[in-house]
Structures are given as C-alpha cells and as structure tokens.
Amino acid sequence: MTETTAKKTTTKRPARRPDPATAVLAEVKAARKAYSGQSMPVAGGHNPLKGREHHEREANRWMAADTARKFDGVPGWDSAVLAQAYRTLAESEPEHVRAGLIRLAALAISAVESLDREAP
C-alpha cells in the first residue's frame, strides 16, 4: 500500500479592516483620565428638579429641530447630539440616565467617525 499525502489548500482571508471606533475609544479612554476620581450627580445645582425641567424643554426643542432637519434632508450631528444630551439630562431614573449616556456616547463616537471619514 502506498500512502498518499493530501495537499493542504489554504485560502487567504481578506485582511480585516480595523473597527474605526477602536481608535476613537482609545482617544476617549486617554481623555477620560482628566475626569477620573470625580464624583458628582448628573443633575447638579441648587435645584436639580428645575434643571431637569429646563433640560426637558431643550430636549423637545432640539428633537423638533433634529426631526425637521432629517425631514428636509439636511441632518446634522449637532441637533442629534444636543437632543440626546438634553433628553438624558432630563431623566430622573438612574437606569434611564445611564442608558441615555450610553446613547450619547455612541452618537458622539459616530460624529467623530464621520469627521474622520470626511477628513482629507
């Protein structure tokens, strides 16, 4: 009997493109060091309830602007980020604030990625 050696065929996978968010998150991590150790409430000031009411009004105003811009085909990160920021700051329940901050961070990272794509 003769042994036959099967030839191994290897197919090269295309090189994976790095996730652009990885670089942005590294920058965020470095910038975050400036804020480490600070402990403060999300809603500060002498009257946090009044502040949340203000943020609610601003959230509604920026959400309307964001919706109108999208409808007109002229969206902008500014209205999307501000609407989310004010909506988050208007929340009173910690789990809603946390979820809003995550969405706000995602929007901010998306805006940075958009700037990076447009850079010459």
Side-chain angles (χ1 to χ4, degrees):
M1 275 186 147
T2 336
E3 288 185 28
T4 17
T5 313
K7 229 182 198 182
K8 289 186 181 178
T9 56
T10 57
T11 52
K12 288 187 178 182
R13 291 185 189 172
R16 287 181 63 178
R17 282 194 247 170
D19 183 0
T22 303
V24 176
L25 288 171
E27 290 180 64
V28 169
K29 186 175 181 180
R32 193 185 85 203
K33 290 179 183 179
Y35 305 101
S36 67
Q38 292 185 16
S39 180
M40 63 181 98
V42 173
H46 292 291
N47 191 344
L49 179 60
K50 188 175 180 179
R52 281 197 297 271
E53 290 170 356
H54 165 76
H55 297 318
E56 180 71 29
R57 288 189 302 275
E58 289 298 306
N60 292 336
R61 188 169 75 90
W62 280 105
M63 283 176 27
D66 190 50
T67 301
R69 286 176 170 190
K70 287 176 183 173
F71 182 77
D72 289 343
V74 289
W77 287 110
D78 57 344
S79 58
V81 168
L82 287 169
Q84 182 60 55
Y86 281 116
R87 174 63 55 220
T88 298
L89 296 173
E91 293 290 348
S92 59
E93 297 297 320
E95 63 271 10
H96 295 149
V97 174
R98 186 183 188 289
L101 288 170
I102 297 294
R103 286 189 301 274
L104 181 58
L107 270 170
I109 288 171
S110 295
V112 170
E113 290 173 339
S114 179
L115 283 172
D116 290 349
R117 281 191 303 273
E118 294 172 6

